[in-house]
Amino acid sequence: MASTESLLLCCPFDYGGARVSQVAPCFGRSLRFPIWNSVHINTDSNPKNYRLRVKVQMQSNMMMKPNSDNKIPHVLTVAGSDSGGGAGIQADLKACAARRVYCSTVVTAVTAQNTVGVQGVNIVPEDFVAEQLQSVLSDMHVDVVKTGMLPSLNIVKVLCQNLRKFPVKALVVDPVMKSTSGDVLAGPSVLTGFLEELLPMTDIVTPNIKEASVLLGGVPLKSVSDMRTAAKLIHDLGPRNVLVKGGDLPDSSDAIDVFFDGEEFYELCSPRVNTRNTHGTGCTLASCISAELAKGSSMLSAVKTAKHFIEVALDYSRDMAMGNGAQGPFDHFLELKNINQSSSRQTRFNPNDLLLYAVTDSTMNRKWGRSIAEAVKAAVEGGATIVQLREKDAETRDFLDAAKVCLEICRSYGVPLLINDRLDVALACDADGVHVGQSDMPARLARTLLGPEKIIGVSCKTPEQAHQAWIDGADYIGCGGVYPTNTKANNRTIGLDGLKEVCQVSRLPVVAIGGIGLSNARAVMEIGEPNLKGVAVVSTLFDRECILTETRNLHALVS
Ligand SMILES: Nc1ncnc2c1ncn2[C@@H]1O[C@H](COP(=O)(O)OP(=O)(O)OP(=O)(O)O)[C@@H](O)[C@H]1O
Ligand SMILES: Cc1ncc(CO)c(N)n1
Ligand SMILES: [Mg+2]
């Protein structure tokens, strides 16, 4: 089973969402990225770069988009807290965050709960539920109210009073009664409140089959046909739309929900994901529906989007390991996961890796009749401590394929692999980072696109460029050409003095580059600047008959 990082947050609830919502960004591992303001990159010119496009799209989709009146779509959830973080308020916050909608919270109960079951329930006094409702609804613009656990009749009544006082665009009611573990979350007394007051105000009610049965006085639901009948009967109780959820329908190979809008029935069908991680599907579904309604969707399309979200999230989290009980939570932030995450390098950049920096060159490989992977393998075997693939004229597909093979080789030696210039290739193969020149993608944007974990290096000739690289969030600079070189046309040589000058102002570690070989590597390392960490070489390794021997020799010189 895949393991999952988790973080238990102990902080006071803030019903405005500010503090509680910290739960959300902690859950999806890749949510370590900052939330960017906006990224404008024209990726259309290169349709093959799907990863880059997905990431850019993902980042702009991560933003909450204001409505035409400049208001952020806002869902208020009135529900119970699940200490296990999988259902209730916690699921609602994550679902709304994943759907990019603001979520405030009125807590009706605090439960002690985990993947085994519900160990305790502490109901919040109705006066204090009323106080929370008043605080949020009197001050903030709320589009949709979503309810979950409403553990007492008085809480239902207080809620209805506030909804009458502060009308909202839509009311979504998830009539939570029992947890899947069988524990009671709301007793039969609340039923009166549901039937007499809440359901007639409701835009959509989303019972599971057991809850549908309770709402109808106990008739059991055993088939999709029973679910249709129930949907119609529940509609007669007042809500404008009904969704009877079939997640718990026995003997069904599909997860079928029945939607009824008072006129038409829709059977929403998705393959049943074979997983134990379904805790909180009901809360998440209702929150997603609410989020889509807050953004302005029609009811049917909100329901379809929500159902699809659950299907993909369950499938994505099917093997996630969390807790020892029968029903685990799932991951709402599937969109933000790196595809190759499990094989990713786990450690942050170590400046000492710059010691012997091998930069590949396709012309040289062609000349000597070897593949990029063969060249890289020989270099890392010889002692290269970091590798950069610099393939200026390779076709994207060939470059990507080669990069994947090289990455495997480098990972097996614990050597980081960077890609020159091509962020799309770096993203697509999950390389350890990129190296960019002054006319390539700006380092600041590269950082935005790659996130904080990846290594970013920048070619710099001047102290100003070195300073900028640091501001932009680079990890190291490549400084040169120190000596004249044929590898780069029209490259100005800065000499050892230029190198020294840049090292002295650079707040980043430096690797020297340009015309460095066995004859001068030691002189470079001996300029005596503590942040000069190594030498980067191209021809010295790759324009030679035996890369392995050359690398070993150079390694002996610099270490
Ligand atoms: N294994 C599964 N595969 C695919 N979809 C599922 C699965 N289990 C539940 N669903 C879907 O999840 C949504 C919630 O349904 P479910 O019947 O589980 O609600 P619930 O019992 O209220 O949830 P909760 O576990 O939060 O109490 C529905 O759209 C349902 O079809
Ligand atoms: C607090 C809470 N609300 C709802 C559910 C239903 O999944 C749960 N288990 N816990
Ligand atoms: Mg269920």
Side-chain angles (χ1 to χ4, degrees):
M1 277 208 174
S3 74
T4 308
E5 291 177 1
S6 72
L7 176 65
L8 174 66
L9 284 186
C10 299
C11 63
F13 271 92
D14 165 350
Y15 41 72
R19 283 201 239 169
V20 184
S21 57
Q22 289 169 2
V23 170
C26 295
F27 197 80
R29 217 177 105 151
S30 295
L31 253 183
R32 51 198 176 193
F33 302 123
I35 311 270
W36 299 270
N37 285 327
S38 62
V39 180
H40 300 285
I41 295 174
N42 179 10
T43 51
D44 292 349
S45 57
N46 198 347
K48 285 181 196 158
N49 302 339
Y50 74 99
R51 274 302 297 276
L52 183 57
R53 265 190 290 125
V54 167
K55 282 227 165 187
V56 172
Q57 228 166 42
M58 175 193 99
Q59 287 155 17
S60 56
N61 286 348
M62 277 175 68
M63 320 260 310
M64 291 187 198
K65 294 198 180 74
N67 294 325
S68 53
D69 54 0
N70 230 12
K71 293 202 171 90
I72 295 294
H74 180 170
V75 171
L76 162 63
T77 172
V78 182
S81 157
D82 168 4
S83 57
I89 289 275
Q90 289 79 357
D92 299 342
L93 281 165
K94 286 184 278 187
C96 286
R99 302 305 309 162
R100 273 90 49 185
V101 164
Y102 190 83
C103 183
S104 54
T105 57
V106 165
V107 182
T108 57
V110 181
T111 71
Q113 196 172 167
N114 57 19
T115 62
V116 179
V118 181
Q119 291 80 42
V121 175
N122 206 330
I123 297 178
V124 175
E126 66 261 18
D127 289 353
F128 199 67
V129 172
E131 209 170 318
Q132 295 176 70
L133 284 164
Q134 171 75 20
S135 293
V136 177
L137 290 167
S138 67
D139 174 46
M140 304 164 99
H141 167 87
V142 172
D143 293 291
V144 177
V145 168
K146 177 253 156 189
T147 70
M149 181 176 174
L150 299 174
S152 74
L153 178 59
N154 284 344
I155 287 180
V156 179
K157 284 180 181 296
V158 150
L159 171 66
C160 293
Q161 277 160 19
N162 275 277
L163 288 169
R164 280 189 287 270
K165 190 166 162 197
F166 302 103
V168 291
K169 196 154 86 180
L171 171 62
V172 176
V173 172
D174 182 19
V176 171
M177 291 175 193
K178 261 189 194 177
S179 71
T180 311
S181 53
D183 301 278
V184 176
L185 297 171
S189 67
V190 299
L191 205 55
T192 335
F194 272 70
L195 299 177
E196 288 178 4
E197 281 199 72
L198 193 62
L199 289 184
M201 310 169 77
T202 298
D203 291 283
I204 181 166
V205 63
T206 62
N208 62 23
I209 52 172
K210 282 190 206 124
E211 290 153 354
S213 163
V214 173
L215 289 174
L216 295 173
V219 260
L221 274 60
K222 296 208 176 84
S223 64
V224 175
S225 156
D226 291 348
M227 288 164 68
R228 286 171 80 104
T229 311
K232 169 107 188 45
L233 292 172
I234 293 170
H235 187 266
D236 293 340
L237 300 173
R240 277 167 279 296
N241 299 274
V242 181
L243 182 74
V244 179
K245 300 172 292 189
D248 298 333
L249 195 69
D251 312 321
S252 164
S253 62
D254 290 328
I256 302 168
D257 301 345
V258 172
F259 176 72
F260 182 58
D261 62 8
E263 286 180 6
E264 305 271 351
F265 286 98
Y266 299 84
E267 279 177 24
L268 307 174
C269 185
S270 64
R272 181 175 293 278
V273 179
N274 185 11
T275 176
R276 69 183 266 281
N277 297 326
T278 57
H279 180 59
T281 45
C283 308
T284 301
L285 185 83
S287 291
C288 281
I289 295 171
S290 307
E292 296 312 306
L293 292 176
K295 286 190 250 177
S297 279
S298 73
M299 188 58 82
L300 180 60
S301 104
V303 170
K304 283 184 181 168
T305 304
K307 169 107 175 121
H308 184 244
F309 179 86
I310 300 278
E311 183 195 336
V312 180
L314 289 187
D315 190 46
Y316 190 85
S317 324
R318 66 202 307 162
D319 296 326
M320 197 174 93
M322 178 71 77
N324 298 305
Q327 212 199 14
F330 58 95
D331 188 343
H332 292 68
F333 294 99
L334 49 126
E335 218 183 0
L336 305 179
K337 290 281 181 179
N338 282 332
I339 288 164
N340 298 324
Q341 201 176 61
S342 55
S343 62
S344 290
R345 200 177 52 99
Q346 293 299 316
T347 49
R348 260 302 280 154
F349 173 61
N350 177 356
N352 295 327
D353 286 341
L354 296 173
L355 182 70
L356 206 179
Y357 188 138
V359 184
T360 68
D361 183 294
S362 34
T363 320
M364 290 171 199
N365 287 335
R366 258 196 308 277
K367 174 176 159 192
W368 292 95
R370 42 195 176 218
S371 67
I372 309 172
E374 284 165 344
V376 165
K377 189 161 192 294
V380 290
E381 272 177 12
T385 52
I386 189 165
V387 173
Q388 181 195 131
L389 300 187
R390 185 170 175 270
E391 299 298 317
K392 290 287 179 193
D393 41 69
E395 293 288 338
T396 301
R397 191 70 65 90
D398 296 340
F399 191 7
L400 182 58
D401 290 344
K404 284 180 185 161
V405 179
C406 292
L407 196 62
E408 248 175 65
I409 297 166
C410 287
R411 292 248 158 95
S412 69
Y413 283 82
V415 167
L417 179 85
L418 311 184
I419 307 289
N420 184 291
D421 186 14
R422 297 284 303 265
L423 267 87
D424 56 335
V425 174
L427 281 165
C429 72
D430 196 28
D432 298 314
V434 291
H435 184 91
V436 291
Q438 290 294 324
S439 51
D440 297 337
M441 177 79 72
R444 195 171 55 82
L445 263 182
R447 175 59 74 212
T448 306
L449 289 165
L450 294 181
E453 308 284 310
K454 297 289 183 192
I455 302 170
I456 295 176
V458 185
S459 297
C460 299
K461 279 186 191 300
T462 65
E464 293 72 29
Q465 290 171 349
H467 182 64
Q468 189 62 45
W470 176 73
I471 289 176
D472 287 347
D475 292 296
Y476 74 89
I477 62 168
C479 185
V482 178
Y483 300 109
T485 167
N486 299 328
T487 319
K488 231 177 165 184
N490 308 320
N491 191 25
R492 184 167 65 85
T493 301
I494 59 167
L496 287 181
D497 288 344
L499 174 65
K500 223 171 154 61
E501 194 192 354
V502 171
C503 285
Q504 278 164 3
V505 298
S506 176
R507 298 167 84 155
L508 293 172
V510 182
V511 60
I513 188 162
I516 300 173
L518 294 173
S519 62
N520 55 19
R522 185 159 285 171
V524 172
M525 293 308 289
E526 283 173 357
I527 63 168
E529 295 299 334
N531 59 346
L532 178 67
K533 296 293 180 190
V535 292
V537 287
V538 189
S539 335
T540 295
L541 304 187
F542 296 114
D543 201 9
R544 299 287 186 275
E545 187 163 4
C546 183
I547 297 172
L548 181 75
T549 311
E550 302 298 333
T551 319
R552 275 193 187 138
N553 291 341
L554 187 60
H555 193 268
L557 265 179
V558 290
S559 46

